[in-house]
Amino acid sequence: MAEAGKLRVATTSLAGCFGCHMSLLDIDERLFALLEKVEFDRTPLTDIKHCGPCDIGIIEGGVCNAENVEVLREFRKNCKILIAMGACAVTGGLPAQRNHLDLGACLQEVYLTEPGLVNGQIPNDPELPLPLDQVHPLHEVVKVDYFIPGCPPSADAIWKFLTDLIAGRTPRLGHGLIEYD
Amino acid sequence: MNMDVRPSFLLDGEEIPFEPGQTVIQAALTAGHYIPHLCYHPEFVPHGSCKLCTVKANGRPAAACTLPAQAGLEVESETEELNDLRRTLVQMLFAEGNHFCPACEKSGNCVLQALGYDLGVMTAGFRHFFLDRPVDASHPDILLDFNRCVLCKLCVRASEEVDGKGVFSLAGRGISRRLIVSAESGRLADTDIAVTDKAVEVCPVGVIIRKHIGFQTPIGRRRYDVRPISAQALEDAPRKPEARHG
């Protein structure tokens, strides 16, 4: 249950590098102001493994494997508002740079034929989620309510976006805050 | 009629004086009014292909870069409807190429990116094509990255009209339209292009990249980091026609 008056927020990183989460932490002492307004459900900060009912879900990274799809659907099911944070969540980003290549050929080269490999084999542990043939931005799998571009979005962009949203305003990022790199 | 009074048209309700022969975008920029544009460049004959500068003139959509200014014309530009169309065009350009800003040397100096920022394009909008387009790194001083081409034809125009070389052309039609190098091998190294050519300078995106200068100006201190493209375009525009005409 959410503490009275606080919004419950979940975050996760799918096919991302946690750079967006680092950028979120980069709001520095403004974290204290944020924590007066929100409390965290599942995030890498709390280590809660599954997302419960939340007001806001923030997702970094695109969708590159079967587990990403499952986690993303769990977030969508539980979060009233879902935010795609960062280039990978918005467009597929760096992991999607493999999209013009055949997945089988990719795995072959990385694990079998790359020079310098000895006794290479393609990982096939049943616990490993299966990769998708292409990397997708979040909105190609579930409905996404808001997008924050950037690789990563700056701390100021994330702060502006969240404070707008929490205050009930339509989030607006102006010059210097909308960035794609 | 007072012959000193120059003819004018209305742009978003404001009177814009013009010289006979000027296009709507020329007159607007000279008068300090920005109309978003990509393939238009003040030094070249308008190409009219990107459609970013689409305005409504007397209620009809038209490219402001090719539309001659006419007295009494009523032009709309800064409307939610037109900016929505412009955002869609920017999204389509991003979808058609491989515009991966986080790894692009042009980031911060790129017109396509700056238009996205200024128009508030927050999302992909379309499924990206993820085409396989190899780069041409054959030239010692210039890199050609076809992934980022928006077919504005500025390099083709500059190489022909200013450099007198004809290094670039556009080949194919429709969705297969693409930039090619005019050499039998197809390689940039086999042309007479030079780093000082206008064609190298004029590329608005990250296709024609000068080697060896990469991040001399760091990200964050680049052209469109300093001010949005809507302000920068006015800064660059020829101003004060009154002074020119005494």
Side-chain angles (χ1 to χ4, degrees):
Chain A
M1 269 307 274
E3 222 176 287
K6 284 196 177 182
L7 296 171
R8 201 159 170 87
V9 176
T11 78
T12 193
S13 176
L14 304 179
C17 68
F18 281 91
C20 296
H21 275 82
M22 296 306 292
S23 208
L24 170 62
L25 294 180
D26 252 352
I27 65 174
D28 297 331
E29 68 272 23
R30 288 172 289 186
L31 271 168
F32 293 113
L34 183 65
L35 284 172
E36 284 174 16
K37 306 272 189 193
V38 309
E39 60 180 14
F40 285 108
D41 191 277
R42 171 182 174 159
T43 96
L45 315 174
T46 58
D47 210 24
I48 297 173
K49 304 297 183 197
H50 287 279
C51 173
C54 284
D55 299 291
I56 300 172
I58 303 173
I59 298 186
E60 162 194 341
V63 180
C64 82
N65 64 33
E67 192 227 1
N68 294 158
V69 176
E70 204 174 300
V71 174
L72 178 57
R73 286 185 174 149
E74 180 182 294
F75 266 69
R76 180 67 280 182
K77 205 173 138 197
N78 284 289
C79 301
K80 290 181 198 159
I81 292 172
L82 199 62
I83 302 171
M85 172 169 68
C88 301
V90 174
T91 69
L94 178 70
Q97 300 307 298
R98 74 159 160 90
N99 280 2
H100 70 277
L101 301 168
D102 175 71
L103 177 63
C106 257
L107 292 170
Q108 289 265 335
E109 179 163 346
V110 171
Y111 291 107
L112 298 177
T113 61
E114 180 105 318
L117 282 179
V118 181
N119 296 330
Q121 56 171 11
I122 293 175
N124 64 353
D125 190 300
E127 284 206 358
L128 289 174
L130 287 173
L132 306 179
D133 67 333
Q134 288 208 326
V135 179
H136 299 273
L138 305 186
H139 67 269
E140 287 182 9
V141 181
V142 299
K143 182 187 185 298
V144 173
D145 302 296
Y146 293 102
F147 300 84
I148 314 177
C151 184
S154 66
D156 287 342
I158 295 172
W159 174 250
K160 172 75 164 65
F161 197 95
L162 290 180
T163 47
D164 276 356
L165 190 66
I166 290 167
R169 296 186 293 264
T170 301
R172 294 244 182 271
L173 301 182
H175 176 68
L177 294 181
I178 299 185
E179 289 191 326
Y180 303 157
D181 62 359
Chain B
M1 186 182 159
N2 185 347
M3 296 308 283
D4 291 342
V5 175
R6 289 190 296 152
S8 67
F9 62 89
L10 283 180
L11 174 61
D12 293 325
E14 284 201 50
E15 217 159 287
I16 309 291
F18 66 90
E19 309 288 324
Q22 273 189 317
T23 59
V24 165
I25 205 169
Q26 281 172 332
L29 288 171
T30 308
H33 290 263
Y34 173 69
I35 297 174
H37 55 273
L38 173 55
C39 75
Y40 170 73
H41 188 293
E43 293 168 40
F44 293 94
V45 177
H47 187 230
S49 64
C50 79
K51 304 298 176 198
L52 256 296
C53 71
T54 298
V55 292
K56 276 196 175 176
N58 289 348
R60 288 168 180 245
C65 71
T66 55
L67 181 69
Q70 297 157 56
L73 205 62
E74 284 185 32
V75 181
E76 283 174 54
S77 175
E78 266 312 305
T79 66
E80 207 42 36
E81 181 196 0
L82 287 168
N83 280 333
D84 258 347
L85 286 170
R86 290 170 182 145
R87 278 187 278 272
T88 304
L89 287 171
V90 169
Q91 287 175 327
M92 288 162 79
L93 287 169
F94 267 94
E96 279 181 17
N98 295 313
H99 300 276
F100 185 49
C101 298
C104 182
E105 272 183 49
K106 189 80 174 193
S107 192
N109 292 325
C110 171
V111 173
L112 179 65
Q113 183 193 58
L115 280 164
Y117 292 174
D118 207 32
L119 290 163
V121 178
M122 303 291 279
T123 174
F126 297 93
R127 177 165 283 195
H128 285 197
F129 288 7
F130 296 109
L131 304 156
D132 188 9
R133 289 190 188 157
V135 302
D136 177 349
S138 62
H139 195 281
D141 301 315
I142 302 160
L143 171 72
L144 259 192
D145 191 332
F146 297 102
N147 291 288
R148 304 161 182 161
C149 187
V150 291
L151 306 173
C152 69
K153 219 179 170 187
L154 276 171
C155 60
V156 179
R157 291 183 269 168
S159 189
E160 273 168 19
E161 294 166 25
V162 181
D163 307 328
K165 293 182 180 175
V167 169
F168 300 103
S169 321
L170 293 185
R173 286 184 170 276
I175 199 67
S176 12
R177 193 114 167 115
R178 64 199 183 280
L179 182 68
I180 57 164
V181 172
S182 309
E184 208 160 326
S185 65
R187 287 161 24 111
L188 195 63
D190 299 327
T191 68
D192 54 353
I193 194 168
V195 271
T196 48
D197 282 1
K198 187 74 179 172
V200 175
E201 175 210 312
V202 83
C203 179
V205 291
V207 178
I208 307 172
I209 294 274
R210 271 186 66 184
K211 291 183 180 177
H212 318 301
I213 59 162
F215 292 90
Q216 256 174 19
T217 308
I219 301 273
R221 275 191 250 151
R222 297 180 168 199
R223 193 173 162 81
Y224 302 115
D225 295 329
V226 180
R227 54 169 74 86
I229 192 168
S230 49
Q232 184 63 50
L234 293 179
E235 189 84 7
D236 299 341
R239 297 294 288 277
K240 293 193 182 126
E242 297 80 9
R244 284 211 311 266
H245 293 272

